[in-house]
Amino acid sequence: MTVQRDFKEPARCRPDLVIGREELVTAARDQLTRGGSVLLHGPAGIGKSTVLRALAADYGDAARTVLRCSATESESHLPFLALADLFGLVLDEISDKLPAAQRTALESALTGRGESTLQRDGLALRLAVLSALRVLAAAGPVLLVADDLQWLDSASAELLGFAARRLGDTPVQLLCAVRTDGQEYDRHLRASPPDTLAVRLNPLSRNQVSALLDHRGYTDLPRSTVREIHRTSGGNPLFALELGRALGENPTPPRPGEPLPVPTSLRALVLSRLDMLSDEARRTLLVASAGARPTLALLHAAGRENAEAETAQAAALGLLATEPEGPAVRFAHPLISAALYAEAPAHERRAAHAALSTAASDPIERARNLAMATTGTDPEVAARLAEAAALARDRGAPSVAAALGLLAARHTPPDGAPGPDGHRLCAAEDAITAGEVDLARDIAREVLTRATVPADRIRAWEVVIEAAGQALGDVDAVFPQALADAGDDPRLLALVHYHLAWRKLIVEGDFSEARQEAAHAAELAARGDDRRTELMALSFQSSTETLMGHPNAPATIKQAMKEPQDPYVACHHNGVGAARFRWLMMSDQLPEARSTITALLREVRRRGMVESEVHFQRFLAETELRSGHCGRALDLARESLRLARDSGIGLGASAMLASLAEASGGDVGQALALAREAAGRAEEDGDQMYLSRALAALGHAQFVAGDAAGAVGSLRRVRELEQGLGITDPARGRWQGDLAEALVRVGEPGEAQDVIAVTREHALRLDRESVLAVLDRAEALVRAALGDHEGALARLTSVQDRLAKLGYGLEEARAAFALARLRTGRPGPTSYDEAARLFRRCRALPWLRQVDEAAAHGAGEPAAVTAQTPPSDALAGLAAMERQVAALVMEGATNREIAARLFISVKTVEATLTRVYRKLGIRSRVDIVRLAAGRHAK
């Protein structure tokens, strides 16, 4: 591909923040700080020039002299042009310090006077460039910044390469960027100093593309559109920005199923070789671009008889990727397909879709292509599209179903049955399921502008409310309108009161009122024979009663689980299965809770229910965390957070759980940041329920970080919030033990005992065994603070055994740690080995570091773990299998257990461990844990 010079974005428009490149910028900056050189490489538009300018701006002040050049394709034939850019302004400073022959050759090359050439003055010129750099370096460090090395004239490239290889210890550094389509940067690396770091810029993720578009002001794009921009651009920031700009300037958004509008600038960029194709080959590629999954067989069925030869011609020109082993016809870049489609006349596009509407084997693809080939309304086409949408829904592809539903609305006559708005509402509900809340909200708002049928209006209001997520305060005005539209219809009223129950809980923080609204909604739904809404309301009621510690909770759950059940409600994140999971978790039934949530997660993934997947992934992470599997919990929590950020759903809740997982098994600094993010989101949304959870996570992270005073402040606020909300079940947030222990640390054992006493009363009433055990651990520390060491030791020993039997591995390890700290300085064993073993089994790295510090200091209180302590990256250089084996070693698994869990032989485990030892320079399994915990092998 060829990027025109005038197509490049001006430097003044570049963001100060290099979005999505923070890690590689840090690595490059460190390399420059050490005195090395950096070579940035990657495809056109990937952001090399942006990173180059950012690094030059950051590091340029450290150099006395900065030499710059930026080559262009049109000037690459002019000899010594880059050399003139680099040395033209410093020639007067250096010329009198060069030997006469070198000075003459260099001046002749730079000024164009004389007939200097590499053939005639080769040695003199080579030595002159090397001498010039040494002269400049004698006065201070030199930074040479060169962009677009691929267009450097050959003479300048040869001279700079000669000098770079011979600079040695001379303080001259190169910061260069070169366009590469693969790994062919080697020849440029060979022409760089020996200590050059090659940094490849890879495509941006969807979140990074979204952040880039937001930074440039394209903030009103729906998430579904951002997803399509990411797909079409292939993560290339230049392409993504141009697509975003085209959408921003286009008053008419693309219709469902149509590719994004591709601006002329990008069409010229990626289709420069299209003119070299034959007309027939171009038509074949158009059919391929119109298909979802084109193959040679599909192209043949669509009437392209010479598809093999025509696709081979396109592959030779770099338009198609060559895949000799597979049947797929794949474009070299998604943008080529989009640009080719956008370039084609409308009648040719319709002809391509018409051919595919009979050639495609999949009924969904046939219906989609039939719609794209048809203009105007057509009841038969609309019916085919509605059937395809239902099929996509059954396949667990609600996003596809939403697009098909909108196409069905477009082809439905105004007097059709169902009408266009019926298809639109189905599409909006599918979009909600797929997590595309912006699209769903827009569809519902459009329907509300003209719908008069109460049932349609209530469906639309439901979508608007659900699209608001936790920010229900933002749609307060909806509820009176929805109640008015519902009239006296019990089915419609049940739906509105169900959502009012959520508003009472989230916005007003009133559990009692929320419970009553849910019960009322369930009664109305039963009267209206709406089993789905009845079950959703009962599930909500039971969850609320569980959190409140209400005595009716078990009976309500039993009622919600009666037949007949609704498959959608059964696996919804606010449905019966989720309510039962919460009850199991709070009742200390961890194995059953794990199997329940695993089955639910599997089902929502099959159905494509994105919001439920976000929450269930988080629930599974919480289950693993309670069970003491911190490594697995951390992986699951991070994945839930990634999915939440990607979809814009459940961000606060996922950040809260990720904070707890980081504090237990990852980076305490990250835990603090995530907890503050979760609290900020909850306060912004006016979500009282999750604000208390977020602050509990913050207090826990502060406690693990050694900031007992901060933990006390955060957890006291949690206590006030939950008292106001009416939450009495201590198993809901499990923060009371942390508060009591933190109070002991800050010298407030009396208040700690009060917290324990109040919490114990509720835990005894609700039979919360694990909470009682944690309270006893905290009370042992209160006793020790008051001088009763013998009583404290006896209680801690009992607590550790009880927590082990309940399956709370991390809490068991904390009890062992507290026991070891109390024994320090007293007669008898004082080893921290048991605590270290248990924390190692949990892979609780922050706690392992505390044990290590306590053992090193020999003190009763562990040294504070600072929030800035990063997790060790010792395992980062291992292969995937090696990392998995090392991670299981950290959990305390034997070689036989590792072999069983990874489905490999014991000999393979032993061989893998041998490689791990060699790569990490260690000798034993114990050293792996020491490295992971931030320690050095002895």
Side-chain angles (χ1 to χ4, degrees):
M1 299 180 191
T2 301
V3 179
Q4 302 168 14
R5 287 293 295 181
D6 59 357
F7 184 70
K8 283 195 170 182
E9 191 177 5
R12 60 183 174 80
C13 295
R14 295 289 186 183
D16 294 331
L17 174 65
V18 185
I19 292 173
R21 311 298 192 193
E22 293 82 3
E23 289 187 13
L24 65 85
V25 167
T26 298
R29 189 181 292 118
D30 291 345
Q31 171 74 357
L32 292 169
T33 302
R34 289 191 294 267
S37 297
V38 173
L39 176 67
L40 305 170
H41 65 100
I46 203 68
K48 302 180 299 297
S49 297
T50 303
V51 175
L52 185 82
R53 281 193 287 270
L55 289 170
D58 287 350
Y59 190 72
D61 292 340
R64 177 186 178 275
T65 304
V66 180
L67 307 176
R68 300 176 186 271
C69 72
S70 183
T72 67
E73 183 179 14
S74 61
E75 299 166 344
S76 60
H77 66 286
L78 300 174
F80 306 122
L81 185 59
L83 206 64
D85 286 343
L86 291 169
F87 293 107
L89 296 179
V90 296
L91 183 59
D92 291 342
E93 179 184 345
I94 62 175
S95 60
D96 60 348
K97 299 176 184 176
L98 300 179
Q102 295 178 23
R103 180 171 63 248
T104 300
L106 184 59
E107 288 177 348
S108 177
L110 297 185
T111 62
R113 294 191 295 270
E115 296 294 332
S116 181
T117 65
L118 275 181
Q119 287 74 23
R120 193 181 69 185
D121 301 318
L123 181 58
L125 272 173
R126 287 174 171 83
L127 294 175
V129 172
L130 181 58
S131 298
L133 290 172
R134 286 173 174 167
V135 167
L136 290 170
V142 176
L143 178 65
L144 192 153
V145 181
D147 199 1
D148 282 321
L149 282 186
Q150 73 277 1
W151 303 134
L152 218 64
D153 64 274
S154 58
S156 297
E158 165 63 23
L159 293 170
L160 289 174
F162 175 87
R165 291 190 295 271
R166 290 164 176 79
L167 284 170
D169 295 332
T170 307
V172 176
Q173 296 169 264
L174 273 65
L175 173 58
C176 306
V178 60
R179 181 189 307 173
T180 56
D181 290 324
Q183 298 296 321
E184 67 276 13
Y185 63 92
D186 287 350
R187 65 184 180 89
H188 297 286
L189 193 60
R190 287 194 295 271
S192 303
D195 60 350
T196 299
L197 172 68
V199 177
R200 178 168 180 81
L201 276 70
N202 290 313
L204 299 180
S205 68
R206 190 192 306 178
N207 282 334
Q208 291 164 347
V209 165
S210 178
L212 181 63
L213 291 167
D214 286 346
H215 186 88
R216 298 303 177 83
Y218 306 123
T219 54
D220 296 329
L221 298 174
R223 288 186 180 275
S224 56
T225 302
V226 173
R227 182 186 64 197
E228 190 62 19
I229 288 176
H230 177 258
R231 188 196 67 79
T232 303
S233 69
N236 185 299
L238 179 64
F239 298 170
L241 286 172
E242 283 298 297
L243 290 168
R245 181 181 61 78
L247 284 166
E249 294 174 354
N250 188 354
T252 306
R255 289 177 172 180
E258 290 183 347
L260 296 177
V262 180
T264 304
S265 55
L266 287 187
R267 295 188 203 181
L269 177 64
V270 301
L271 298 180
S272 57
R273 300 174 184 172
L274 197 62
D275 292 339
M276 301 172 68
L277 282 175
S278 66
D279 290 342
E280 289 302 311
R282 185 167 181 156
R283 291 191 186 96
T284 295
L285 288 194
L286 176 60
V287 175
S289 70
R293 292 175 296 276
T295 63
L296 287 172
L298 178 64
L299 294 176
H300 279 298
R304 308 312 302 167
E305 297 176 357
N306 299 316
E308 286 90 347
E310 289 159 356
T311 54
Q313 182 187 2
L317 292 171
L319 294 167
L320 294 179
T322 54
E323 294 185 356
E325 300 300 325
V329 175
R330 188 169 63 84
F331 285 88
H333 192 282
L335 189 59
I336 296 175
S337 173
L340 179 68
Y341 187 91
E343 190 81 359
H347 70 276
E348 290 188 11
R349 293 202 296 262
R350 286 196 296 272
H353 285 297
L356 290 169
S357 69
T358 56
S361 59
D362 185 79
I364 291 177
E365 273 305 291
R366 288 199 300 271
R368 184 186 73 85
N369 280 291
L370 179 61
M372 301 303 292
T374 306
T375 57
T377 60
D378 187 321
E380 184 179 345
V381 172
R384 290 268 301 276
L385 287 164
E387 292 170 4
L391 180 58
R393 202 175 297 124
D394 290 341
R395 289 181 181 178
S399 180
V400 174
L404 292 167
L406 290 175
L407 283 171
R410 174 176 147 193
H411 289 287
T412 299
D415 58 350
D421 282 345
H423 290 304
R424 289 189 182 96
L425 287 169
C426 284
E429 290 160 355
D430 285 327
I432 284 287
T433 302
E436 297 179 6
V437 293
D438 296 337
L439 175 62
R441 184 191 301 112
D442 291 345
I443 297 170
R445 292 288 188 188
E446 181 190 352
V447 170
L448 285 166
T449 60
R450 56 177 172 269
T452 57
V453 177
D456 287 349
R457 292 187 63 80
I458 293 300
R459 282 179 71 187
W461 287 128
E462 261 205 298
V463 170
V464 172
I465 293 168
E466 291 197 22
Q470 300 295 109
L472 285 180
D474 293 347
V475 291
D476 260 350
V478 165
F479 293 100
Q481 299 177 65
L483 284 170
D485 285 334
D488 57 1
D489 187 326
R491 288 176 66 93
L492 301 183
L493 283 170
L495 290 168
V496 180
H497 280 282
Y498 171 71
H499 290 292
L500 277 170
W502 277 104
R503 186 193 170 281
K504 290 286 185 184
L505 181 65
I506 292 174
V507 179
E508 297 182 16
D510 193 327
F511 272 67
S512 178
E513 287 287 332
R515 172 181 173 272
Q516 291 178 28
E517 281 284 4
H520 184 42
E523 292 170 7
L524 287 167
R527 278 184 11 219
D529 197 25
D530 181 356
R531 183 60 174 164
R532 174 173 290 190
T533 302
E534 181 187 8
L535 288 171
M536 290 294 289
L538 287 170
S539 300
F540 177 87
Q541 181 185 344
S542 65
S543 293
T544 306
E545 290 172 347
T546 298
L547 296 174
M548 293 173 67
H550 196 284
N552 288 0
T556 307
I557 291 176
K558 187 175 180 180
Q559 185 182 357
M561 295 183 70
K562 285 182 179 179
E563 296 294 338
Q565 284 294 313
D566 182 288
Y568 173 81
V569 177
C571 64
H572 191 275
H573 60 279
N574 290 322
V576 179
R580 181 170 179 271
F581 164 77
R582 292 187 185 95
W583 174 258
L584 292 169
M585 282 288 287
M586 295 175 73
S587 303
D588 298 325
Q589 300 179 58
L590 294 181
E592 194 170 351
R594 181 186 290 106
S595 62
T596 298
I597 199 62
T598 300
L600 287 170
L601 182 58
R602 187 184 306 115
E603 179 62 15
V604 298
R605 282 175 173 165
R606 187 189 69 79
R607 290 171 170 262
M609 299 170 67
V610 174
E611 184 172 7
S612 294
E613 181 181 355
V614 170
H615 290 295
F616 289 162
Q617 185 98 351
R618 173 170 57 85
F619 290 170
L620 182 56
E622 183 179 2
T623 309
E624 297 295 354
L625 193 59
R626 297 289 175 218
S627 302
H629 304 147
C630 299
R632 273 174 273 171
L634 185 58
D635 290 342
L636 289 164
R638 285 173 174 171
E639 176 61 20
S640 173
L641 183 59
R642 184 201 64 74
L643 187 58
R645 294 198 193 285
D646 195 36
S647 63
I649 294 171
L651 276 167
S654 293
M656 176 274 298
L657 200 281
S659 170
L660 291 172
E662 291 283 358
S664 299
D667 179 356
V668 181
Q670 182 71 358
L672 290 165
L674 287 167
R676 291 187 175 108
E677 177 189 342
R681 287 186 180 279
E683 290 192 292
E684 183 180 338
D685 292 342
D687 185 346
Q688 297 296 303
M689 183 174 65
Y690 264 110
L691 178 58
S692 67
R693 295 292 307 272
L695 289 172
L698 177 59
H700 179 72
Q702 289 168 323
F703 182 77
V704 177
D707 180 10
V712 167
S714 297
L715 296 176
R716 278 173 174 165
R717 189 177 173 200
V718 175
R719 180 174 59 187
E720 293 170 4
L721 281 169
E722 294 204 351
Q723 286 174 350
L725 290 167
I727 297 173
T728 61
D729 193 331
R732 186 248 184 179
R734 298 177 182 270
W735 48 267
Q736 296 85 354
D738 283 344
L739 175 57
E741 291 189 33
L743 285 166
V744 171
R745 293 268 185 97
V746 299
E748 296 286 350
E751 185 182 347
Q753 186 60 56
D754 290 341
V755 170
I756 293 166
V758 170
T759 307
R760 181 177 281 131
E761 180 182 348
H762 293 300
L764 285 168
R765 174 174 60 86
L766 297 166
D767 195 25
R768 301 297 190 235
E769 282 296 325
S770 63
V771 174
L772 289 168
V774 169
L775 292 174
D776 284 350
R777 184 183 69 207
E779 189 169 45
L781 299 180
V782 172
R783 290 189 178 188
L786 297 175
D788 183 9
H789 285 273
E790 296 304 324
L793 289 170
R795 176 155 293 201
L796 278 175
T797 303
S798 168
V799 164
Q800 184 179 341
D801 292 340
R802 287 159 58 197
L803 288 168
K805 290 176 182 177
L806 289 168
Y808 284 78
L810 185 58
E811 299 295 352
E812 175 195 357
R814 287 181 62 177
F817 187 23
L819 196 60
R821 281 169 24 210
L822 285 184
R823 283 173 173 163
T824 301
R826 298 177 58 78
T830 60
S831 173
Y832 285 90
D833 288 349
E834 173 68 1
R837 181 185 70 81
L838 292 173
F839 282 131
R840 188 181 304 119
R841 184 184 67 184
C842 295
R843 201 182 168 191
L845 302 185
W847 289 101
L848 267 172
R849 285 191 282 273
Q850 285 202 34
V851 172
D852 200 39
E853 291 287 337
H857 286 80
E861 284 294 320
V865 178
T866 62
Q868 290 74 28
T869 303
S872 172
D873 293 329
L875 307 185
L878 299 180
M881 175 63 74
E882 293 165 353
R883 282 199 304 273
Q884 290 181 49
V885 170
L888 291 171
V889 168
M890 288 156 52
E891 293 181 17
T894 65
N895 286 3
R896 190 171 297 281
E897 290 170 339
I898 294 170
R901 288 170 66 174
L902 297 182
F903 302 101
I904 57 178
S905 68
V906 174
K907 286 187 177 180
T908 301
V909 174
E910 293 169 350
T912 303
L913 278 175
T914 300
R915 292 196 302 272
V916 170
Y917 298 155
R918 185 175 66 252
K919 286 185 177 182
L920 299 182
I922 59 179
R923 297 185 299 273
S924 68
R925 296 164 64 95
V926 173
D927 290 337
I928 294 177
V929 179
R930 285 175 175 158
L931 280 173
R935 294 173 280 177
H936 297 291
K938 304 295 184 191

